[in-house]
Amino acid sequence: MNDTVAAISTPVGEGGIGVVRISGTDSRAVLERLFRPKAGKTAGKKAVSAGFQNRYMRYGHITDPVSGNAVDEVLAVFMEAPRTYTGEDVAEIHCHGSAVALRRVLSLALREGVRLAEPGEFTKRAFLNGRLDLTQAEAVIDLIQAKTDMTFDTAIRQLDGSLSIEVKKLRDGITELLVDITVNLDYPEEDIDELTQQDIIQNLSALCDQIEKLSASAHTGRIAREGLRVVITGKPNVGKSSLLNALLHESRAIVTEIPGTTRDTIEEGLSIRGIPIRLVDTAGIRETEDPVEMLGVEGSREALAGSDLALLVLDASESLSDADLRVLRCVANRRFIAVINKCDLARRTDADDVRAWIVSNGAEQTNEDRSVAVEMSVKDGVGLDTLEDAIEDFVFRGNPKTGDSALVTSVRHSDLLEKALSEIREGIDMSARGETTDLIEPNIRRAWEFLGEITGETATADIINEVFARFCVGK
Amino acid sequence: MKQYEMEQYDVVVVGAGHAGCEAGLAAARMGAKTLVLSIQLDAVALMACNPAIGGTGKGQLVKEIDALGGEMGLVIDKTFIQSRMLNKSKGPAVHSPRAQADKRRYHEEMKSALERQAGLDLKQGEAVDLLFDDDRVQGVILRTGAIHRAKTVILATGTFLGGRVFMGESTYESGPCGFAPATALSKALRDRGLAIRRFKTGTPARALAQSLHFERMEEQKGDEEIIPFSYMNETVGENKASCWLTWTNAKTHEIIMKNLTRSSLYGGLIKGVGPRYCPSIEDKVNRFSDKERHQLFIEPEGLSTGEVYIQGMSTSMPEDIQRDFYRSIPGLEDAVFTRAGYSIEYDCIDPLFLYPNLEHKEIKGLFCAGQFNGSSGYEEAAAQGLMAGINAALKASDRAPFVLDRSEAYIGVLIDDLVTKGVEEPYRMMTARAEYRLMLRQDNADLRLTEKGYAIGLVSRERYETYLRAKAETETEVNRLRETAIKPEDAAELLSESGFMPLASGISLAELLKRPKIRYAALSTVDSYRPDISARVRERAEIQIKCEGYIKKQLLQIERFRKLENKRLPEDFDYFALDGIRLEAKQRLSRIKPISVGQASRISGVSPADVNVLLIYLKRGGLW
């Protein structure tokens, strides 16, 4: 129970700062491994120690100890047990409020061997260590119960459908391998194909590839690591760059009235309602002779291919044209939101027209169960809220909004995938070294358990059941 | 009927099968005045099914029984006729000893051990009812009217209780091997309100060796080097017999499938639940119809008989069909059968009614062991018998229960699985059931358990000293291997043979041994001062060194596991009074009455959140 845990302990959102809290015996060591103090003006000549004094806040950077890259500029403090919130050694890292920064700092801590805190775990530890009044016990229980149920439910529901299927497939693959191992180890006298070291390596290598691929491509995993990829697309001069700027609340892209101004794709990181987002502005898609612009259009198509969500920008002051249709076709097999811009001008097209147009062009079914069309005027700042609502809805998929859990579960998922992967990799190494199957099996079983935690399947009796279902063994 | 008072005992054991024998011996050895009852003394330690002891998971159980001061290991060492270490090539965590027994001699040796045991009375007699005082058991009543009073009673009734045999279309009340069943006790227990279930098991036909064509089968010989089951024996006798392998074929399957409805199982006569891991041949052929052949072993039943056991071919087919399909198998064409295969249904309880010390939750002083608890197998029975015997003796002298946890022994895994998760079919031990398999090895059961057995007074002084010597010898050898350095040039040949690069500098023998594929035996070429030590010490020194890193890792996991095991829960805890625990969990917790938070966490229907809430209540109540 005294292992070290970490979590983002401020609500995720548009706060100025956010806090990653680490509690447990390793918290000082972990903090010191991640923290690089900023050399003060006078300290330039002598090395600044990474060590923390009890209850002194220090200014510096959290850096990735592997790459050496700075992740965020922070204030950090270490507090010695027992006079802390949890009653254990506690480190707090005060980051910038951005969800991306918080998540990166948390991921680094997890990589240093810290476990992700369960919902309500800090409070639970505080209570168990005698830091909370006895009368608060009931509240703690409610908290654990409510938070666990909520997180558990949302963790499963929030899973991208495809991730869930992939994880299940992976897990089925591991189950099969474990069943083969079990029957080989527990029924050595039976007439059953021997599982060789080579078979195990092959199986594990295939699993390893699959997990790596999944880890890299999964919706949730990538949201956690890079943010949701949102691509702004549309025919030229419908206001894509203006929309980007509006969402960023600042001017980054060059906005002109000449169609085709944006020739490269522009990428920006931002946070909408606490959801980390990579927003990509693209060159307008149109038939073009200009070679430079052609490159840009090609880039747009590529950007679309890697997106989680597309914002298809249309012009309310014009009728829907062939040019719009070309863009619709590009997004038709993706998830997208139609954004009808320039509603401040004389209207030629409204949301109903757009919905009918989407349906008649057969793009509907891929857009979840409904086409979303948002009317707005970027110029006047009208409708921006509605668009942000729609993006948020997209992430939560109509599930109850559960505050910080979206982010936490995302981190949780990538964390679990990583853990499963490292168990499998170790298993491959062991197998290659010639270790016997009984020694490798615990690694495979742990990988199986980690994946089970993602999908919420934790039953462990399956393997033995499966042995008897698949093999004819016994006297 | 006139009843009369006989003796007063601390422990009365009903049944003298593999569970009953260990139970009686353990209780008596711990100083309890003990009676062991058997319906027929010729059925003491009867091997009603296959003539073998050990196997995967089971061999480990026998070693543990022995390490705690039980009898099974000693008896099989005296009576084995062939011995093999299974899984030798698959790693130390799954090395599993298995021996063919001379069935008759096994029975005689075990019976003799009971006869010789001070403080133990072995009697032929059929218990027909239990005596109660309120919710406390007081003794047993025999068919003759004799009353034996006792502080505790152990039920180890096996397939005798309510036994019913099935063979094709015929069925009749019977115990195993034609012995009388215990029908009166079955009825009495039901009348007392015990929830009784029906399980079934089965056995194949026995044939005469002289009628078989062994040249048409494959011989399977015993190991050249035999490591004894008992830690008390440094060496044992030799292999005296072989087993033989042969296979079924399309003809066999055709006969079975054509007559499937004539089997008791498929004919619908059998109601009891049978184990999937011990399927009858009709089950195998029917369920795995794509399998072209099934393997079977011919195992000798002993040296003084020509009878052989046809392992892999248990059946509830009628005798004529049995004869036909057995004879379709190569080597069995002219087989003469002495006994037909049959299925047997028997009474058992839901083990969720038991505490981890195997005492019944509703009847104080009543302990249960073996098939009565829903397990299957001689070794599983013996392990529970031993623990029931220990705990009945402890209870009779008002001492605290003796419970092993999942990290200490297969016995712990076995009993925890039974009393925490329950069973839906007869339970068989497998190494896959043990999370800490690498620690629960067959080579180290004495290191794990003998100290504990000594502390409760079961392990004799002699055994304890033997253990201390073996332990010291192992340590000495491990240290010697660690401290003996080898020059690079001396190791060169050994390394290149195993596919390793030559060394740049010296290395200890232990470091060499840690490399996979390099075995202790092979090291002899570079290890000139090797001491003369027993095979057992050699084996475990090798494993200790080879697996050191993995063992350390597992020990860390065990440490975490123990934290929850050590948080005890009071027996009378009112789970319904707790807010924040889901109703289903409250019901399960109230029913199972876990003794620790660890046990609670393994109950199906109790979530991690429920466990967290439980921890908070315990903390608040100042319970730990």
Side-chain angles (χ1 to χ4, degrees):
Chain A
M1 282 256 252
N2 301 319
D3 56 345
T4 303
V5 296
I8 298 169
S9 51
T10 41
V12 176
E14 302 282 323
I17 62 159
V19 176
V20 171
R21 180 187 276 153
I22 308 172
S23 178
T25 41
D26 291 341
S27 42
R28 180 202 283 264
V30 170
L31 176 62
E32 289 176 356
R33 284 202 291 275
L34 299 179
F35 182 80
R36 291 287 161 275
K38 186 89 167 182
K41 279 182 188 125
T42 53
K45 280 167 203 143
K46 60 175 184 181
V48 182
S49 145
F52 274 79
Q53 249 182 298
N54 188 22
R55 290 169 191 278
Y56 274 85
M57 193 162 248
R58 303 191 64 185
Y59 167 63
H61 285 94
I62 292 298
T63 50
D64 182 334
V66 176
S67 70
N69 293 338
V71 169
D72 198 16
E73 192 181 21
V74 302
L75 286 169
V77 63
F78 171 74
M79 293 164 280
E80 250 171 44
R83 287 177 50 220
T84 63
Y85 177 67
T86 57
E88 304 168 335
D89 281 358
V90 167
E92 283 184 358
I93 305 169
H94 298 234
C95 308
H96 284 101
S98 122
V100 177
L102 281 166
R103 193 261 316 140
R104 283 191 182 152
V105 170
L106 176 60
S107 299
L108 284 180
L110 298 181
R111 218 173 62 196
E112 292 298 313
V114 167
R115 175 169 70 71
L116 190 64
E118 291 161 24
E121 186 163 1
F122 289 127
T123 316
K124 183 182 113 188
R125 285 177 177 230
F127 176 75
L128 294 181
N129 290 321
R131 294 296 295 169
L132 293 182
D133 195 288
L134 287 185
T135 56
Q136 289 171 281
E138 309 286 335
V140 183
I141 289 165
D142 287 349
L143 179 79
I144 291 173
Q145 198 71 52
K147 276 210 160 191
T148 309
D149 286 351
M150 186 177 76
T151 315
F152 187 72
D153 289 352
T154 50
I156 289 160
R157 271 185 290 162
Q158 268 171 10
L159 275 176
D160 182 298
S162 64
L163 173 65
S164 163
I165 292 166
E166 287 303 314
V167 170
K168 216 176 149 348
K169 258 197 249 164
L170 273 172
R171 199 157 181 275
D172 289 347
I174 302 182
T175 306
E176 204 161 306
L177 180 58
L178 283 170
V179 167
D180 283 335
I181 290 175
T182 303
V183 84
N184 259 269
L185 296 183
D186 268 303
Y187 287 93
E189 301 254 275
E190 297 280 347
D191 212 1
I192 284 161
D193 292 340
E194 181 126 5
L195 192 67
T196 64
Q197 215 80 344
Q198 220 39 52
D199 293 335
I200 292 179
I201 294 182
Q202 246 171 38
N203 264 301
L204 290 183
S205 303
L207 283 167
C208 193
D209 288 351
Q210 287 165 21
I211 301 179
E212 273 170 354
K213 222 185 267 167
L214 186 61
S215 189
S217 72
H219 176 74
T220 352
R222 221 183 48 241
I223 291 177
R225 212 171 42 253
E226 298 167 9
L228 184 77
R229 282 181 71 88
V230 178
V231 171
I232 304 178
T233 188
K235 68 180 183 186
N237 205 28
V238 286
K240 296 185 294 295
S241 300
S242 313
L243 176 60
L244 171 77
N245 290 340
L247 286 169
L248 282 173
H249 303 296
E250 59 178 300
S251 192
R252 281 283 167 84
I254 311 154
V255 186
T256 69
E257 283 167 18
I258 310 156
T261 311
T262 306
R263 295 192 172 179
D264 296 321
T265 59
I266 295 177
E267 242 185 86
E268 289 294 339
L270 71 153
S271 163
I272 293 177
R273 311 272 167 90
I275 304 157
I277 283 179
R278 304 292 301 170
L279 195 56
V280 184
D281 182 20
T282 63
I285 296 174
R286 65 170 180 176
E287 303 281 303
T288 177
E289 304 287 308
D290 178 350
V292 178
E293 202 188 322
M294 261 166 66
L295 279 177
V297 172
E298 205 37 54
S300 305
R301 292 185 204 270
E302 272 174 30
L304 267 177
S307 72
D308 298 302
L309 175 67
L311 302 180
L312 165 57
V313 187
L314 301 164
D315 189 335
S317 67
E318 293 178 13
S319 301
L320 292 160
S321 63
D322 282 355
D324 290 316
L325 188 57
R326 261 198 297 281
V327 187
L328 178 68
R329 295 227 163 99
C330 290
V331 297
N333 56 350
R334 321 205 60 79
R335 299 201 169 90
F336 69 94
I337 295 171
V339 178
I340 308 154
N341 191 20
K342 304 191 188 178
C343 288
D344 51 308
L345 301 181
R347 303 283 291 266
R348 287 246 174 87
T349 304
D350 65 12
D352 289 339
D353 299 335
V354 170
R355 282 194 198 99
W357 175 69
I358 290 171
V359 173
S360 67
N361 284 292
E364 165 123 62
Q365 68 274 28
T366 54
N367 193 11
E368 295 281 283
D369 48 350
R370 63 200 185 283
S371 22
V372 181
V374 177
E375 295 184 358
M376 64 186 299
S377 162
V378 174
K379 193 173 133 235
D380 298 344
V382 174
L384 210 54
D385 268 2
T386 323
L387 177 59
E388 291 190 356
D389 281 346
I391 293 173
E392 192 184 5
D393 272 355
F394 167 79
V395 173
F396 289 100
R397 298 278 153 75
N399 293 319
K401 297 180 187 86
T402 49
D404 57 354
S405 58
L407 186 66
V408 173
T409 47
S410 303
V411 175
R412 194 176 147 267
H413 294 155
S414 18
D415 181 38
L416 288 166
L417 279 175
E418 276 309 313
K419 281 180 172 159
L421 195 56
S422 95
E423 293 290 348
I424 301 269
R425 283 196 186 123
E426 198 184 325
I428 295 174
D429 288 350
M430 287 165 68
S431 217
R433 276 206 306 275
E435 297 287 21
T436 46
T437 318
D438 57 333
L439 298 179
I440 301 165
E441 189 258 9
N443 287 66
I444 305 174
R445 194 177 279 262
R446 279 194 295 274
W448 183 79
E449 284 165 2
F450 286 135
L451 292 180
E453 281 181 48
I454 298 183
T455 53
E457 292 166 286
T458 44
T460 49
D462 322 352
I463 291 172
I464 288 170
N465 283 335
E466 202 51 33
V467 167
F468 299 125
R470 268 184 49 204
F471 293 95
C472 182
V473 289
K475 54 184 188 173
Chain B
M1 193 203 342
K2 167 117 180 85
Q3 294 186 340
Y4 51 94
E5 292 282 336
M6 289 288 285
E7 306 293 315
Q8 171 81 43
Y9 290 98
D10 292 320
V11 179
V12 168
V13 185
V14 179
H18 304 281
C21 288
E22 294 293 349
L25 288 169
R29 284 168 184 169
M30 287 175 67
K33 191 178 176 207
T34 304
L35 170 67
V36 176
L37 286 169
S38 175
I39 215 163
Q40 231 305 341
L41 287 190
D42 293 336
V44 170
L46 172 71
M47 296 179 131
C49 203
N50 65 328
I53 296 282
T56 48
K58 294 161 171 274
Q60 285 84 343
L61 281 173
V62 180
K63 293 275 191 167
E64 292 176 357
I65 293 166
D66 184 71
L68 284 167
E71 197 65 21
M72 189 172 235
L74 290 164
V75 175
I76 185 63
D77 276 352
K78 279 185 198 154
T79 61
F80 80 94
I81 52 179
Q82 187 206 45
S83 182
R84 293 170 60 221
M85 183 67 81
L86 306 184
N87 273 338
K88 250 193 301 201
S89 64
K90 288 182 193 146
V94 292
H95 288 178
S96 307
R98 181 181 194 274
Q100 296 300 135
D102 183 318
K103 215 174 233 194
R104 186 171 186 85
R105 289 215 46 230
Y106 189 93
H107 148 77
E108 286 167 356
E109 284 293 342
M110 185 62 87
K111 181 159 170 275
S112 155
L114 290 165
E115 290 164 2
R116 283 178 281 124
Q117 179 60 50
L120 187 152
D121 293 344
L122 175 66
K123 271 192 199 315
Q124 183 160 306
E126 181 190 348
V128 293
D129 204 353
L130 301 178
L131 272 177
F132 287 95
D133 173 16
D134 231 4
D135 60 345
R136 188 173 185 95
V137 73
Q138 290 285 304
V140 296
I141 306 170
L142 306 193
R143 180 168 293 291
T144 53
I147 290 174
H148 291 284
R149 297 207 175 259
K151 291 183 185 160
T152 60
V153 171
I154 300 173
L155 288 180
T157 47
T159 55
F160 282 84
L161 191 66
R164 173 171 281 279
V165 160
F166 297 85
M167 198 188 296
E169 296 93 344
S170 72
T171 165
Y172 49 91
E173 287 184 352
S174 172
C177 300
F179 286 103
T183 36
L185 183 61
S186 166
K187 184 173 180 306
L189 292 178
R190 284 167 204 269
D191 291 347
R192 296 279 180 197
L194 248 70
I196 299 289
R197 312 160 127 189
R198 299 286 281 173
F199 274 4
K200 78 126 204 174
T201 185
T203 195
R206 312 298 195 274
L208 284 179
Q210 48 268 44
S211 68
L212 303 184
H213 304 284
F214 288 106
E215 71 283 1
R216 297 177 198 166
M217 308 184 205
E218 257 176 47
E219 184 172 12
Q220 188 184 48
K221 292 188 169 173
D223 287 347
E224 274 176 30
E225 182 181 61
I226 299 171
I227 296 183
F229 270 95
S230 176
Y231 293 100
M232 295 300 285
N233 296 328
E234 289 240 325
T235 54
V236 281
E238 294 156 3
N239 295 309
K240 299 182 185 79
S242 286
C243 293
W244 302 83
L245 269 147
T246 180
W247 285 268
T248 62
N249 52 45
K251 179 90 189 295
T252 324
H253 299 183
E254 191 196 317
I255 298 169
I256 290 169
M257 288 310 287
K258 222 165 65 194
N259 295 286
L260 204 56
T261 51
R262 288 194 62 200
S263 81
S264 318
L265 188 65
Y266 287 93
L269 280 178
I270 295 178
K271 300 280 183 287
V273 186
R276 286 167 304 169
Y277 49 79
C278 188
S280 58
I281 188 66
E282 51 267 29
D283 228 6
K284 291 184 183 183
V285 171
N286 187 41
R287 279 181 51 216
F288 296 90
S289 54
D290 55 333
K291 221 173 140 139
E292 285 169 17
R293 59 177 205 175
H294 295 272
Q295 172 185 275
L296 51 130
F297 287 88
I298 303 296
E299 302 179 1
E301 294 237 311
L303 298 179
S304 60
T305 174
E307 283 190 291
V308 297
Y309 175 93
I310 310 174
Q311 204 247 77
M313 294 283 284
S314 81
T315 182
S316 68
M317 283 286 191
E319 208 182 346
D320 55 335
I321 307 299
Q322 289 189 25
R323 177 197 58 207
D324 294 349
F325 73 68
Y326 281 131
R327 285 188 180 164
S328 71
I329 296 165
L332 274 66
E333 295 88 344
D334 302 306
V336 172
F337 299 98
T338 51
R339 309 174 199 225
Y342 63 87
S343 283
I344 183 165
E345 252 186 27
Y346 53 95
D347 286 351
C348 54
I349 52 159
D350 181 346
L352 293 180
F353 279 105
L354 302 176
Y355 286 115
N357 68 345
L358 296 178
E359 185 176 7
H360 199 279
K361 285 170 188 167
E362 289 168 3
I363 305 169
K364 293 202 179 85
L366 182 66
F367 291 78
C368 306
Q371 279 167 309
F372 187 63
N373 291 348
S375 68
S376 107
Y378 309 146
E379 305 80 0
E380 288 85 346
Q384 292 169 66
L386 180 85
M387 295 303 280
I390 291 171
N391 279 298
L394 290 171
K395 176 104 181 175
S397 55
D398 289 323
R399 285 184 283 166
F402 178 71
V403 174
L404 294 168
D405 75 34
R406 302 182 70 89
S407 69
E408 289 170 323
Y410 272 90
I411 297 177
V413 174
L414 164 71
I415 295 177
D416 184 61
D417 276 348
L418 291 174
V419 307
T420 308
K421 296 174 187 163
V423 291
E424 295 309 320
E425 65 182 333
Y427 178 99
R428 175 215 198 271
M429 185 43 77
M430 295 167 69
T431 69
R433 299 195 195 269
E435 302 77 347
Y436 310 111
R437 175 158 75 180
L438 185 55
M439 293 313 298
L440 308 187
R441 302 186 314 271
Q442 56 86 28
D443 64 281
N444 68 356
D446 58 338
L447 302 181
R448 291 184 273 125
L449 300 171
T450 298
E451 201 93 47
K452 292 180 202 291
Y454 188 61
I456 55 169
L458 178 54
V459 163
S460 66
R461 183 86 213 163
E462 187 196 356
R463 179 183 283 276
Y464 185 61
E465 278 164 7
T466 307
Y467 148 76
L468 288 178
R469 260 198 316 279
K471 187 180 170 204
E473 273 178 42
T474 310
E475 278 162 16
T476 307
E477 179 61 0
V478 167
N479 287 336
R480 188 189 71 85
L481 291 165
R482 286 206 176 114
E483 284 155 14
T484 310
I486 298 295
K487 290 190 202 126
E489 57 268 31
D490 291 340
E493 198 184 325
L494 179 71
L495 286 170
S496 75
E497 273 169 14
S498 310
F500 290 107
M501 298 292 285
L503 298 169
S505 57
I507 190 171
S508 71
L509 283 171
E511 286 303 318
L512 270 180
L513 195 52
K514 272 190 188 165
R515 304 190 172 204
K517 291 176 198 155
I518 294 191
R519 300 296 309 269
Y520 185 91
L523 276 185
S524 64
T525 53
V526 295
D527 184 10
S528 27
Y529 300 101
R530 185 169 278 193
D532 181 24
I533 47 176
S534 71
R536 174 175 300 119
V537 171
R538 228 159 52 211
E539 178 192 29
R540 62 176 165 213
E542 174 172 16
I543 295 171
Q544 264 183 32
I545 287 174
K546 264 200 173 308
C547 302
E548 200 179 18
Y550 301 107
I551 289 174
K552 273 196 188 134
K553 216 166 153 183
Q554 196 140 91
L555 284 173
L556 280 176
Q557 290 167 358
I558 289 176
E559 209 179 296
R560 280 202 295 276
F561 157 81
R562 289 241 168 95
K563 281 187 178 147
L564 284 185
E565 296 305 299
N566 292 338
K567 296 201 191 320
R568 313 305 281 186
L569 286 166
E571 197 183 307
D572 52 359
F573 205 72
D574 183 5
Y575 295 97
F576 284 99
L578 306 186
D579 285 334
I581 292 186
R582 289 159 316 114
L583 182 62
E584 186 200 355
K586 287 183 190 177
Q587 289 166 339
R588 303 286 294 178
L589 287 163
S590 304
R591 163 144 194 233
I592 297 191
K593 301 189 176 77
I595 59 165
S596 68
V597 178
Q599 194 193 351
S601 72
R602 288 187 294 277
I603 296 173
S604 80
V606 175
S607 74
D610 296 323
V611 173
N612 274 329
V613 172
L614 198 54
L615 284 172
I616 285 165
Y617 273 104
L618 291 173
K619 174 77 179 177
R620 189 175 61 167
L623 289 167
W624 51 269

